Structures are given as structure tokens and as C-alpha cells.
Amino acid sequence: MVKYLDANLDNVFAALADPVRRKMAQSLASGERTMSELAAPFTMTLPAILKHIGVLQKCGIVITEKRGRVRYCRLDPAKLMDAQTWLEETGRFWNDKLQALNTYLESENNENQN
Amino acid sequence: MVKYLDANLDNVFAALADPVRRKMAQSLASGERTMSELAAPFTMTLPAILKHIGVLQKCGIVITEKRGRVRYCRLDPAKLMDAQTWLEETGRFWNDKLQALNTYLESENNENQN
DNA sequence: CCAATACTTTACCAAGTGGTAAAGTATTTA
DNA sequence: TAAATACTTTACCACTTGGTAAAGTATTGG
């Protein structure tokens, strides 16, 4: 059995429970962005944006670095992997069952075609 | 590009952001459970348990059914899959990069061993 | 049919979340 | 060095979340 870093999974899942933060993460999925670039698609004020980035940063999904007056942000996929792993492990039993059912239905379907 | 049912991803991720609810989901991962069975490992009151199950149910992770005076709960892995898919898609770019780095480091390592 | 079981509803509360406005700091740029 | 840029901090507010206690409902079991 895998030992999950449960306390941080709380924060990772909570961070991803907001559409603004998910869109930010998706934006970062293709490369580095500045705070202003991340803020651009949204109408909210900069302090609100800063809070969202703070949430992503605190749980380790996003790493930031300030160069001059600009803060650059990038994704750390390891934390996303933690969440993914939890979902895989939890869903496995049922996915296996569905898989088995699916295989069964397909084989039945093939028999009907013969 | 996959179209995510964004509003419900909010709820799925939020549901999984709580250790009580994740433990419930893990418990359900191996089969059906009654409310009392789900409640047993925790010290909190039944109304609190009911709220947690309600959150899991509202976002579709858990399906419940009342038979007699007992409510039975089971997992619907499809919603977990939605979250998993989002994580895979978002992490892919960086995972590919890490994969490439890893491959590179391994090949370097092999060269040093020769 | 009365009591025990298994939830369920209602009312309430403290703490956390997601937003704002306004003012402040640190780096360029002209 | 003065003005513009790119955040950052502070103070505040409405709403949601996670819990409680207490009372209520619906099914069994004796």
C-alpha cells in the first residue's frame, strides 16, 4: 500500500477545486507565465489573483521566482501526480469491474454478430 | 481538446479535499457500505457524517440507495475518472519533459558505467 | 404495539474562503 | 530623478464549510 501525504492532498485537491486556479494551472501547463499574464484572462483584482497563486504555491503545484519586479510562475507536476495516483488507486477496483463488464458486453456483441 | 464539465470538477475536487471524505471513498473502493459502516471509523456525530456523504453524493462520486431503514452507499468511478483525466492532461507537458530528462540522465549514467 | 435501530432534519456557531478598495514597495524607463 | 510598471500588503466584508445538540421520522425485532 502506498502511504499518501494526506495533509498535502487536502491542499492539492482544494487548490484544484476552483475554476480560476485550474485555468491558471492549464495555462502553466504549456510553460512559464508572469503574474500579469496569469491575471490577464480574468476580471478580478490583482490581490485576488495573488491569493489564487498563493494557494497553488502553498500546496506545491506552482513554483514562483521573482526576477526584477516580475514574478514568474511554473508548474510542478509532481503534486498533480500525487493526486492522480490517489484517484487511480481509489478508482482501480471499480474500473476493473467496469472493464470486465465491458469486455463481457463486447464478447456478447461479437457472438450476436456471428 | 477535451471539453471538461468544469462546474462539476469544482465539486469533485472540493469533495476530495477533505481527509474524512477521501477515507470514505477509499472504504467504498472495495465495495458497498452502509452509512453506519462509513461512520464507524470517525468520532464525529451522525449529522456531520451525513453532510460528508451528501457532498460525495452531490458531485456524483457516491451513489446511495435506501433499503428499509438502511442507506447503502457505493462509488461511481466515472467522476473520479473525470478528475484523473484533467490531471493527466494538465500534467502531460511537464511529465513529458521530466520523462525526457530522466531518459537523458539514464543514458548518461549508462555511458559512465562503460 | 412498544422499544430499539438507523438515519434525518432543524437550528445554530466558529472558522475559513474569495472577493473588494486603498495604500505601499521595489524596479525599470525616460 | 520622476513617472510608470508590477506586484504586495492591509483591512474589511459576505458567504460557505464543518462541526454541534436536540428533536423527529421510518423500519424492524420481541
Side-chain angles (χ1 to χ4, degrees):
Chain A
M1 249 289 185
V2 182
K3 248 308 180 21
Y4 301 106
L5 297 171
D6 241 64
N8 208 48
L9 266 190
D10 285 12
N11 296 330
V12 171
F13 279 125
L16 296 175
D18 186 297
V20 172
R21 292 193 292 263
R22 280 204 309 283
K23 267 171 201 132
M24 285 177 168
Q26 279 184 315
S27 168
L28 292 172
S30 56
E32 204 176 50
R33 299 272 183 278
T34 70
M35 264 200 47
S36 307
E37 282 168 354
L38 283 179
F42 304 104
T43 56
M44 68 187 75
T45 60
L46 223 35
I49 293 290
L50 193 60
K51 273 192 191 177
H52 282 299
I53 294 174
V55 172
L56 290 168
Q57 198 180 315
K58 195 177 170 187
C59 72
I61 291 177
V62 160
I63 296 159
T64 78
E65 184 192 350
K66 196 151 184 181
R67 301 202 284 273
R69 64 184 163 180
V70 178
R71 182 171 295 281
Y72 294 89
C73 307
R74 60 180 191 280
L75 211 59
D76 178 357
K79 301 294 169 182
L80 294 183
M81 283 294 279
D82 288 350
Q84 214 172 306
T85 301
W86 188 93
L87 289 167
E88 274 168 20
E89 300 251 331
T90 304
R92 184 164 301 154
F93 172 87
W94 290 99
N95 287 332
D96 288 355
K97 285 211 166 182
L98 287 178
Q99 191 71 43
L101 176 65
N102 212 35
T103 305
Y104 169 74
L105 291 175
E106 268 174 23
S107 74
E108 261 210 327
N109 199 36
N110 289 341
E111 275 168 33
N112 290 344
Q113 286 179 342
N114 292 349
Chain B
M1 250 288 182
V2 183
K3 250 295 177 35
Y4 301 106
L5 298 169
D6 241 62
N8 209 49
L9 266 190
D10 285 12
N11 296 330
V12 171
F13 278 125
L16 297 175
D18 186 296
V20 171
R21 291 192 294 260
R22 281 203 308 284
K23 267 171 201 134
M24 286 178 168
Q26 280 184 317
S27 168
L28 293 173
S30 56
E32 204 177 51
R33 299 273 182 277
T34 70
M35 263 200 49
S36 307
E37 284 169 353
L38 283 178
F42 305 104
T43 57
M44 70 188 74
T45 61
L46 222 37
I49 294 289
L50 194 61
K51 273 193 191 177
H52 282 299
I53 294 174
V55 171
L56 290 167
Q57 198 180 318
K58 195 175 170 190
C59 72
I61 292 177
V62 161
I63 296 158
T64 79
E65 183 192 348
K66 196 151 184 180
R67 302 204 282 274
R69 62 184 165 180
V70 179
R71 180 171 296 280
Y72 293 89
C73 308
R74 58 182 193 279
L75 211 59
D76 179 357
K79 301 295 169 178
L80 294 183
M81 283 295 280
D82 288 351
Q84 213 173 306
T85 302
W86 189 92
L87 288 167
E88 274 168 20
E89 300 251 332
T90 305
R92 184 164 298 155
F93 172 87
W94 289 98
N95 287 333
D96 288 355
K97 284 210 165 181
L98 287 178
Q99 191 69 44
L101 176 64
N102 212 36
T103 305
Y104 169 74
L105 291 176
E106 267 173 26
S107 73
E108 261 208 326
N109 199 36
N110 288 344
E111 275 169 31
N112 289 344
Q113 286 178 340
N114 292 346

